[in-house]
C-alpha cells in the first residue's frame, strides 16, 4: 500500500521576498558533478586516452543515450543542442555517422555488459521517420546486448508525432514516453513559438496507451512569458486530466548569453522570481494533493511509481537524464553534444554537426571535452547526489561509504549550512542533515554548499528561482 505524499502547505513555508532575493542566485541543476562547465578540451581521442581507459576495465550494466538533434521548428525557450530543419532525409546521414560512432565506441567496451536503460533525447526523436527509427534500432541492437527488462524511453513532440512513429518506437522496445507540453495557454504558446492544441496532446497519449506504453511523463515549464498563478493552475488542471504517471515541472532557464533565441522572449513579460516561486508552490500543493509525490527538485510521480519506491529505499539516482532507477551504470552517449559518464570520467561530443562528422571521418571518437574526476570529486559527487535524491544526509553513513570522517572532511560546508538552517531550508538532526519542505524548493542552493568549484564564480548557470 503506497504511503501518503509528504504534506505541503504554503502557510508553513515562511517564505518572504527577502529570502527569495537571497537565494535567487545562479546555481547548477547537478545532473553531474563536477558540472559541464568544468569539462576541458580533449587532445587525445584514441582508445588509449585516459578519458576512455576505464571503458575497457569496467564491468556491470550500461545505460545508453542517443541524441537526435533535429527539430522541425525552433521553440524560443529551448536550451538544447538542436538543428532546425523540415528535411527528414538529413537524418539518414546522421544515422550513418551514428552507426560509425556506436560501432567504434562498442569496440572499447568489455564483452558481456548488458544494456539496462536506453533513452532517446533531442531535439525531437520523432523527427525520425518510422523507417529511420527501425534503422536506429538495428544499429543499437547490433552493437549491444540488451537486458530483457531494459527501460527504454523516448522524448516526443506531440505536434509532429504520427501513429506510425509510435508503432516503430514500440518495435524498438520503448516502454516509457515523455511528451513535451510546457503550457496549454494559447497566449503563452504564441510567446514561445510553440502552438500545441489540447487535442494534439490527448491524441498522443491515446496512441501511446493503445500501443501499450503505459508509463507516460508530461513535461511542463514555469517562468515563461505571460504565465501567472491563475493561468498555470489551468495548465495543471488540464494536464492532470491526462492522468500522467510522472510530471517534470522545470523552471525556465533564461540564459540568452548561450542561447541567443531566448532574447526573443524578453519582448514579452516574464514572471519575476516572486511569481515563479508562487507558481512552484502552487504546483507542489496541487500535485501532492492529487496523489503525486514530490520526488525532488522538479519531478513528481504517482505514489506507486518505481521512482517513488526507489526514493523510499534510498536507491534513487540522478544523472544527465534527471532522476533514474539505475545505480552503478556507465552511461554511453551517442550523437552530437551527447555526454557519457563513467566512474572516473565525463566525455562530451562536439556540439556542431560538421565537426562531429569530421572527427568520425578521421577515425576518432568525436569528443570535444572531458573531465577526469579526482578522489575529492567522487566523494562530493556521491554526497550531492544523495542529497538531491534522499533529501537528507546521514553523516556517519556517508562517511563510511566514502572512507572519510564526514564531519571533519566537510567541516566548513556544515558550518556554511547553519545559515540555511536559520532560513528554514535545512535542519540538523542526530544523524546529520534533513531538507525541509522549503528546502526542497531550493534544493539546488542546498547542494551548492558541497560544490568545491563554485565559490563566488557561479556565472554561466541559470538562477535557482
Amino acid at each position: 500500500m503506497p504511503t501518503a505524499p509528504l504534506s505541503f502547505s504554503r502557510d508553513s513555508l515562511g517564505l518572504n521576498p527577502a529570502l527569495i532575493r537571497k537565494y535567487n542566485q545562479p546555481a547548477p541543476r547537478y545532473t553531474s558533478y563536477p558540472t559541464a562547465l568544468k569539462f576541458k578540451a580533449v587532445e587525445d581521442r584514441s582508445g588509449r586516452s585516459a578519458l576512455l581507459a576505464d571503458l575497457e576495465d569496467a564491468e556491470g550494466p550500461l545505460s545508453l543515450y542517443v541524441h537526435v538533434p533535429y527539430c522541425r521548428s525552433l521553440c524560443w525557450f529551448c536550451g538544447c543542442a538542436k538543428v532546425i530543419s523540415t528535411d527528414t532525409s538529413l537524418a539518414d546521414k546522421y544515422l550513418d555517422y551514428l552507426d560509425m560512432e556506436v560501432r567504434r565506441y562498442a569496440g572499447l567496451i568489455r564483452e558481456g555488459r548488458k544494456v539496462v536503460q536506453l533513452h532517446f533525447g533531442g531535439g525531437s526523436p520523432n523527427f525520425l521517420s518510422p523507417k529511420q527509427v527501425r534503422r536506429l534500432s538495428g544499429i543499437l541492437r547490433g552493437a549491444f546486448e540488451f537486458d530483457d527488462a531494459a527501460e527504454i524511453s523516448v522524448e516526443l513532440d506531440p505536434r509532429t508525432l504520427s501513429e506510425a512513429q509510435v508503432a516503430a518506437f514500440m518495435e524498438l522496445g520503448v516502454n516509457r514516453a515523455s511528451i513535451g507540453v510546457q503550457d496549454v495557454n494559447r497566449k503563452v504558446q504564441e510567446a514561445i513559438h510553440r502552438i500545441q492544441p489540447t487535442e494534439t496532446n490527448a491524441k498522443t497519449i491515446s496512441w501511446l496507451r493503445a500501443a501499450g506504453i503505459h508509463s507516460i511523463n508530461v513535461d511542463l515549464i514555469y517562468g515563461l512569458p505571460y504565465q501567472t498563478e491563475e493561468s498555470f493552475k489551468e495548465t495543471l488542471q488540464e494536464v492532470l486530466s491526462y492522468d500522467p504517471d510522472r510530471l517534470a515541472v522545470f523552471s525556465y532557464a533564461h540564459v540568452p548569453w548561450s542561447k541567443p533565441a531566448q532574447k526573443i522572449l524578453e519582448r514579452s513579460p516574464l514572471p519575476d522570481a516572486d511569481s515563479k516561486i508562487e507558481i512552484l508552490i502552487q504546483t507542489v500543493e496541487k500535485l501532492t494533493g492529487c496523489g503525486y509525490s514530490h520526488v525532488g527538485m522538479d519531478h513528481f510521480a504517482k505514489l506507486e511509481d518505481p521512482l517513488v519506491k526507489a526514493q523510499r529505499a534510498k536507491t534513487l539516482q540522478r544523472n544527465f537524464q534527471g532522476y533514474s532507477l539505475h545505480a552503478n551504470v556507465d552511461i554511453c552517449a551517442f550523437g552530437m553534444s551527447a555526454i557519457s559518464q563513467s566512474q572516473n570520467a565525463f566525455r562530451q561530443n562536439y556540439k556542431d554537426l560538421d565537426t562531429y562528422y569530421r572527427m568520425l571521418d578521421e577515425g576518432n571518437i568525436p569528443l570535444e571535452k572531458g573531465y577526469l574526476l579526482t578522489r575529492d570529486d567522487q566523494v562530493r559527487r556521491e554526497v550531492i547526489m544523495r542529497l538531491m535524491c534522499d533529501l537528507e544526509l546521514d553523516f556517519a553513513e556517508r562517511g563510511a561509504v566514502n572512507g572519510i570522517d564526514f564531519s571533519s572532511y566537510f567541516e566548513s560546508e556544515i558550518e556554511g549550512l547553519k545559515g540555511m538552517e536559520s532560513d528554514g531550508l535545512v535542519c540538523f538532526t542526530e544523524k546529520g542533515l534533513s531538507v525541509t519542505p522549503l528546502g526542497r524548493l531550493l534544493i539546488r542552493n542546498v547542494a551548492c554548499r558541497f560544490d568545491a568549484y563554485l565559490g563566488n564564480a557561479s556565472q554561466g548557470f541559470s538562477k535557482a528561482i
Side-chain angles (χ1 to χ4, degrees):
M1 188 76 176
T3 58
L6 178 76
S7 60
F8 186 91
S9 167
R10 179 189 301 260
D11 295 337
S12 67
L13 292 178
L15 192 62
N16 59 65
L19 204 61
I20 293 173
R21 287 192 294 272
K22 178 178 180 179
Y23 288 105
N24 189 29
Q25 303 298 323
R29 294 178 184 269
Y30 291 114
T31 51
S32 74
Y33 181 84
T35 69
L37 292 184
K38 293 297 295 181
F39 295 179
K40 302 172 184 176
V42 173
E43 296 180 3
D44 184 0
R45 298 177 180 84
S46 71
R48 300 181 301 277
S49 74
L51 281 173
L52 294 163
D54 59 349
L55 285 176
E56 295 184 353
D57 300 329
E59 298 178 344
L62 298 172
S63 173
L64 307 185
Y65 172 74
V66 178
H67 191 75
V68 181
Y70 298 101
C71 285
R72 291 180 180 272
S73 64
L74 177 62
C75 300
W76 293 335
F77 63 82
C78 184
C80 301
K82 67 273 184 185
V83 176
I84 306 301
S85 178
T86 58
D87 183 2
T88 58
S89 68
L90 293 176
D92 289 324
K93 179 179 179 180
Y94 188 73
L95 291 176
D96 290 341
Y97 281 87
L98 200 66
D99 186 14
M100 196 184 306
E101 182 190 5
V102 167
R103 285 187 284 108
R104 195 166 293 163
Y105 206 104
L108 302 175
I109 297 172
R110 179 177 297 202
E111 291 186 8
R113 303 183 69 185
K114 287 190 175 184
V115 174
V116 296
Q117 184 179 42
L118 166 60
H119 184 74
F120 297 97
S124 300
N126 57 292
F127 180 89
L128 302 179
S129 68
K131 181 179 179 181
Q132 290 166 338
V133 171
R134 293 184 181 99
R135 182 184 172 198
L136 178 54
S137 177
I139 290 170
L140 296 172
R141 292 189 179 275
F144 294 100
E145 182 181 359
F146 281 71
D147 188 275
D148 291 340
E151 176 186 292
I152 303 179
S153 57
V154 62
E155 298 170 12
L156 299 172
D157 182 346
R159 297 172 301 164
T160 58
L161 185 67
S162 70
E163 197 166 8
Q165 287 172 313
V166 171
F169 280 117
M170 277 296 295
E171 290 175 28
L172 191 153
V174 166
N175 45 39
R176 294 185 182 275
S178 179
I179 66 170
V181 172
Q182 321 316 345
D183 195 295
V184 303
N185 182 279
R186 177 76 182 201
K187 192 172 185 179
V188 175
Q189 292 180 354
E190 289 173 349
I192 64 175
H193 198 234
R194 186 186 177 101
I195 305 300
Q196 189 168 317
T198 296
E199 296 75 20
T200 300
N201 300 332
K203 181 172 62 176
T204 293
I205 291 172
S206 174
W207 284 343
L208 293 172
R209 289 191 169 132
I213 300 175
H214 296 295
S215 182
I216 297 174
N217 175 84
V218 170
D219 290 343
L220 301 176
I221 297 178
Y222 67 97
L224 297 173
Y226 296 110
Q227 283 180 334
T228 64
E229 280 187 76
E230 191 59 37
S231 75
F232 205 71
K233 182 186 297 184
E234 294 173 2
T235 288
L236 290 172
Q237 198 64 44
E238 179 170 313
V239 168
L240 284 169
S241 73
Y242 304 158
D243 193 29
D245 301 273
R246 301 175 183 176
L247 294 101
V249 188
F250 298 109
S251 170
Y252 166 59
H254 192 58
V255 287
W257 55 87
S258 65
K259 302 297 176 183
Q262 292 186 347
K263 287 287 290 181
I264 301 172
L265 299 191
E266 295 175 3
R267 301 173 186 170
S268 305
L270 286 161
D272 60 17
D274 289 29
S275 297
K276 284 187 71 176
I277 201 74
E278 289 298 327
I279 292 172
L280 176 58
I281 291 169
Q282 170 187 262
T283 298
V284 179
E285 278 188 316
K286 180 66 174 178
L287 295 182
T288 55
C290 291
Y292 291 84
S293 176
H294 187 193
V295 175
M297 192 165 158
D298 41 31
H299 279 62
F300 301 81
K302 290 183 176 180
L303 300 186
E304 65 274 17
D305 191 276
L307 278 183
V308 178
K309 294 177 180 178
Q311 185 170 54
R312 291 195 204 107
K314 299 190 185 306
T315 59
L316 190 65
Q317 306 293 305
R318 186 165 174 81
N319 57 37
F320 289 106
Q321 281 77 62
Y323 287 101
S324 169
L325 302 173
H326 299 281
N328 303 316
V329 297
D330 288 344
I331 299 174
C332 302
F334 306 108
M336 182 188 95
S337 82
I339 302 177
S340 299
Q341 174 182 334
S342 57
Q343 181 62 30
N344 301 312
F346 293 110
R347 300 174 289 275
Q348 183 169 25
N349 286 350
Y350 276 91
K351 295 181 181 179
D352 68 283
L353 271 182
D354 289 343
T355 310
Y356 172 76
Y357 290 158
R358 178 170 59 82
M359 284 291 155
L360 286 164
D361 283 334
E362 293 174 357
N364 294 308
I365 301 288
L367 300 180
E368 178 183 18
K369 298 178 181 180
Y371 187 87
L372 287 172
L373 280 79
T374 66
R375 171 61 181 150
D376 181 66
D377 291 333
Q378 291 174 333
V379 170
R380 291 176 183 272
R381 176 171 71 175
E382 195 270 342
V383 169
I384 288 173
M385 182 171 67
R386 295 279 37 99
L387 183 63
M388 298 286 286
C389 293
D390 301 342
L391 302 167
E392 63 181 24
L393 291 173
D394 182 321
F395 291 173
E397 181 182 31
R398 290 302 105 206
V401 168
N402 290 289
I404 59 172
D405 181 314
F406 191 97
S407 296
S408 297
Y409 195 96
F410 289 111
E411 182 178 4
S412 63
E413 288 83 356
I414 292 171
E415 184 65 28
L417 284 163
K418 291 180 179 178
M420 287 190 167
E421 183 181 37
S422 299
D423 288 336
L425 275 66
V426 301
C427 60
F428 287 96
T429 67
E430 290 184 1
K431 290 187 174 182
L433 185 76
S434 179
V435 179
T436 67
L438 174 59
R440 288 182 177 225
L441 305 183
L442 299 168
I443 188 63
R444 292 161 68 179
N445 302 80
V446 180
C448 281
R449 288 293 186 267
F450 293 94
D451 191 325
Y453 299 109
L454 278 186
N456 294 319
S458 56
Q459 290 79 11
F461 302 110
S462 61
K463 289 187 176 182
I465 300 173

